[in-house]
Amino acid sequence: MCRIFGHFDAQVSRHEFRTVAALQRHGGPDAQTCAVGEGWALGANRLAITDPSGGTQPYRLGEHITVVFNGELYNHAELRKRLEALGHHFDDSCDGSVLPALYAEYGPDFTRHLDGMYAIAVVDLRAEPTLLLATDEVGMKPLYHHWDERTGELCFSSELPALLAFPQVRAHRWEPGLDDYLSTKTPFGDRTMFEGVRVLPPATTLTVTRSRGLRLTRRAPRPAADAPVTPAAAAHRVRELLDTEVRRLVRADVPVSVITSGGLDSSLVTALAARSAPGLHSFNIAYRGEWPHDERHFAREVARRSGTEHHQVELDPADFPALLGDVVWHLGQPNADPITLSTYALFTAVRDAGFRVALTGDAADELFGGYDRIRTALDVPAGGDWVTGYVEALAAVPRVLRERLYSPAYLEFVRSRRSAAARVAEALGSAGENRLAALTDFETGTRLPAYHLRRVDHLSMAASVEARLPFCQPSVVRYATGLPAGFKVGDGRVKRVLYGAAEGLLPASVLARPKQPFTLPVGAMLVPGSALHAFARDLLAPVRLRRHGMLDPAAVDGLFAEQAARPSDRSALALWSLLVHELWLEQFAPAGGSGTAEGAATAAVGGRLAA
């Protein structure tokens, strides 16, 4: 597991390249290495998980193929045997060491042979110099890039703050970003909040040469597995697949742990992992005091039944303002889910307890129809409008309230373009008769990588922890994709087949409990008198909002008044979302600034990363 970065034909000094590396040190504290050639450079910050004494990056094959890699390859032992039979030799047993030989044998199609999570960069000098970037099928390992078509320069990095330290990359905010963010809680697709900065989509290969420029190729998805005959058979097969994947994912050359929220998904992973890893440690986070949606007692029950050594992490809400700036920094752009703060604190506790790997239950809701918005959309009678309500449920701030909060000039700008919500609605509206298939495709292919997986990746690696996701493994994804709609959602229930797979493994209280969101109870916490409320009031003061001119200060004040008089999740999440956006502006796009990331990079290297 690493952080990677590099460039093709960009003018970057050694000092600037080391600055990029320094800004990702948290994700790879064990080694910082690079390879530099004529017109290219590759670098890596290593978090040593597999074969800690080996695995020196960049990986090389002769003088012509150089590779850096972020991720984990679970089939590297099988690949090594195959490649050895073809005459290749390896000096260590690190997973990434197989990549140069695999690329030499199969060319750009080498990714077809990989089982795992990855972002990979290859420089191939055998013919015309070529840079190749590739991401895994689900998007577990993000890769950001900036391409200048005029000069033919490309820069890339695993994290946004590091990418912004390249002198070619300008930290200009993308003007529609605020509306996109409030409409979908974070930018979707390959968009970021920075003009000219993109993120490589899942299952995508990017190549750059001097003669052809930049080309993007989206790899065809693997076919869905055959559908089962009965729900019971499907539940049995899901359990088999998850058990197999969890057995593989608990293997590591460093201590492994598991995140146990107390909900179905992470509890099932915990129960299966405990059977394969005696002495497993589990972690749960809760908040000091009495708050809604407290799941700690469910997590304790799961831990007790599974036999794990359980760690209860408790976060003081008074510490939220101090943590939130770091959270926004590591994400690099706004994400409106308050759980980002808890995720950051939880992975920090995992690291402090001595663990470098943590299994999680992420992506089960997307694959198995676990969200209420999916159930609600499926309940709309044939011919009815299910799209509008579903799209509105994705928003951090409802459309009517968004437009009320915008300044007149920004509202006029927003109405002059097609919004993110309109784009999502258009895509779903043309999806055809199989409503659940369209929703699952959107949830897994668009929302999951942008909103969920990047958050998990950045906030786990901020604490030097590798998050492993059994539900994102190809065998589970392919099988879940092929399940009939009724096996997932029906009779007012969600994730039906997954509940069947968990029977006999989890306490009855967990299986019978109503679904509740795994998130920060921001509606109850963001009230007058709290540290969070005072922090939000300060950051969203009228004098600050006028600097960028996108929000109406009087309307934001009205939102504070509404939350004070009638506290609700609606107004609290809106305020939280605006607070996060303002923090992001403050760190990355100050009004009247130079439009570069030089100041942010210098401050980070001199302060945040100097420790």
Side-chain angles (χ1 to χ4, degrees):
M1 182 65 66
C2 300
R3 277 356 212 165
I4 63 173
F5 51 96
H7 72 81
F8 185 84
D9 268 0
Q11 299 299 310
V12 180
S13 71
R14 293 274 183 156
H15 169 72
E16 290 162 341
F17 207 56
R18 291 185 67 177
T19 299
V20 175
L23 286 166
Q24 297 188 127
R25 182 182 173 187
H26 49 267
D30 298 322
Q32 294 184 33
T33 51
C34 66
V36 179
E38 185 178 348
W40 63 272
L42 298 179
N45 300 68
R46 189 186 186 202
L47 178 65
I49 302 295
T50 303
D51 189 9
S53 62
T56 301
Q57 296 202 46
Y59 309 112
R60 297 178 183 271
L61 184 64
E63 297 180 356
H64 298 103
I65 297 176
T66 305
V67 179
V68 290
F69 156 65
N70 170 33
E72 201 74 43
L73 303 179
Y74 305 117
N75 66 335
H76 66 96
E78 301 96 298
L79 292 174
R80 184 174 287 104
K81 290 180 181 178
R82 185 199 309 175
L83 292 165
E84 286 174 337
L86 294 173
H88 294 280
H89 170 74
F90 303 95
D91 294 327
D92 59 38
S93 59
C94 189
D95 54 340
S97 298
V98 304
L99 290 170
L102 193 70
Y103 175 82
E105 293 293 336
Y106 300 105
D109 289 334
F110 78 109
T111 54
R112 289 286 180 187
H113 303 270
L114 300 177
D115 179 3
M117 53 182 177
Y118 57 82
I120 301 170
V122 181
V123 168
D124 183 355
L125 303 177
R126 290 176 298 179
E128 181 182 14
T130 301
L131 171 68
L132 178 147
L133 307 178
T135 51
D136 65 65
E137 279 70 16
V138 184
M140 288 178 275
K141 292 286 118 182
L143 202 57
Y144 301 93
H145 63 93
H146 174 268
W147 164 247
D148 189 325
E149 187 174 9
R150 181 182 56 84
T151 62
E153 296 176 310
L154 183 131
C155 304
F156 71 90
S157 183
S158 295
E159 297 183 8
L160 278 165
L163 182 65
L164 294 172
F166 281 104
Q168 290 78 8
V169 184
R170 314 288 290 182
H172 290 306
R173 61 179 173 84
W174 181 51
E175 193 69 20
L178 173 61
D179 186 59
D180 272 34
Y181 160 63
L182 296 180
S183 299
T184 55
K185 297 183 180 176
T186 203
F188 282 174
D190 67 345
R191 277 286 184 190
T192 73
M193 295 287 283
F194 296 100
E195 190 71 52
V197 174
R198 303 283 179 157
V199 59
L200 202 60
T204 298
T205 299
L206 177 155
T207 57
V208 180
T209 62
R210 291 172 186 141
S211 64
R212 296 187 178 183
L214 182 145
R215 291 171 294 163
L216 287 173
T217 303
R218 190 74 182 261
R219 303 189 294 277
R222 304 182 190 191
D226 293 338
V229 177
T230 66
H236 178 73
R237 183 58 179 153
V238 167
R239 182 158 160 176
E240 283 185 334
L241 290 171
L242 281 172
D243 189 39
T244 298
E245 298 299 353
V246 168
R247 285 176 185 273
R248 294 201 303 160
L249 270 59
V250 295
R251 298 175 193 157
D253 296 330
V254 296
V256 175
S257 62
V258 64
I259 303 300
T260 308
S261 72
L264 171 67
D265 313 331
S266 65
S267 297
L268 179 53
V269 170
T270 299
L272 293 173
R275 301 199 309 181
S276 301
L280 183 71
H281 288 241
S282 57
F283 289 79
N284 172 265
I285 194 162
Y287 314 104
R288 191 169 300 170
E290 297 293 327
W291 303 102
H293 311 312
D294 191 327
E295 298 183 297
R296 74 181 80 194
H297 57 290
F298 293 113
R300 279 197 301 266
E301 288 187 56
V302 171
R304 188 161 41 246
R305 177 163 182 145
S306 301
T308 66
E309 185 168 335
H310 194 56
H311 301 253
Q312 183 60 63
V313 181
E314 194 170 76
L315 190 57
D316 189 341
D319 295 334
F320 289 176
L323 289 174
L324 196 50
D326 283 345
V327 170
V328 173
W329 169 266
H330 284 294
L331 290 172
Q333 61 183 355
N335 183 304
D337 194 337
I339 201 61
T340 53
L341 195 149
S342 309
T343 302
Y344 178 65
L346 182 57
F347 281 116
T348 300
V350 169
R351 177 203 62 202
D352 291 346
F355 294 90
R356 288 197 161 198
V357 175
L359 273 65
T360 80
D362 294 297
D365 283 317
E366 288 81 2
L367 287 168
F368 293 96
Y371 293 118
D372 284 339
R373 62 176 176 269
I374 295 176
R375 177 183 55 78
T376 301
L378 295 177
D379 285 344
V380 174
D385 177 14
W386 58 272
V387 172
T388 300
Y390 173 83
V391 173
E392 188 77 341
L394 297 174
V397 181
R399 182 185 61 81
V400 173
L401 178 56
R402 286 199 303 274
E403 296 190 350
R404 196 175 85 209
L405 292 170
Y406 294 152
S407 67
Y410 192 68
L411 179 59
E412 182 180 359
F413 169 76
V414 166
R415 288 177 171 173
S416 71
R417 62 181 294 274
R418 197 162 56 111
S419 68
R423 295 194 300 272
V424 173
E426 183 178 310
L428 291 173
S430 60
E433 295 183 2
N434 192 336
R435 201 178 294 180
L436 183 59
L439 288 167
T440 302
D441 182 63
F442 170 77
E443 290 278 357
T444 58
T446 299
R447 186 177 182 273
L448 177 66
Y451 175 66
H452 205 113
L453 297 181
R454 290 174 207 159
R455 178 180 78 218
V456 172
D457 172 79
H458 294 333
L459 298 180
S460 61
M461 292 294 278
S464 305
V465 173
E466 173 182 295
R468 295 185 176 180
L469 298 82
F471 284 103
C472 287
Q473 285 298 104
S475 67
V476 178
V477 173
R478 290 180 62 237
Y479 193 75
T481 302
L483 287 173
F487 286 20
K488 296 180 181 181
V489 183
D491 298 328
R493 298 171 56 207
V494 297
K495 293 191 289 194
R496 299 177 69 188
V497 70
L498 203 58
Y499 276 97
E503 286 185 6
L505 281 177
L506 300 180
S509 59
V510 173
L511 293 174
R513 59 174 291 200
K515 180 176 173 58
Q516 66 185 47
F518 175 51
T519 190
L520 197 76
V522 67
M525 291 180 168
L526 215 165
V527 293
S530 70
L532 186 59
H533 185 274
F535 185 55
R537 265 285 37 162
D538 179 57
L539 273 175
L540 297 174
V543 65
R544 285 178 174 268
L545 299 182
R546 291 190 187 99
R547 291 185 305 169
H548 292 281
M550 293 180 287
L551 295 170
D552 179 350
V556 175
D557 279 348
L559 190 60
F560 274 106
E562 178 184 330
Q563 173 65 6
R566 298 176 300 280
S568 70
D569 289 344
R570 172 184 173 273
S571 56
L573 182 57
L575 288 171
W576 174 276
S577 303
L578 297 179
L579 164 64
V580 167
H581 185 262
E582 187 64 25
L583 269 175
W584 173 77
L585 287 172
E586 184 179 76
Q587 295 196 52
F588 292 102
S594 65
T596 72
E598 181 181 358
T602 301
V605 174
R608 189 187 305 267
L609 298 173

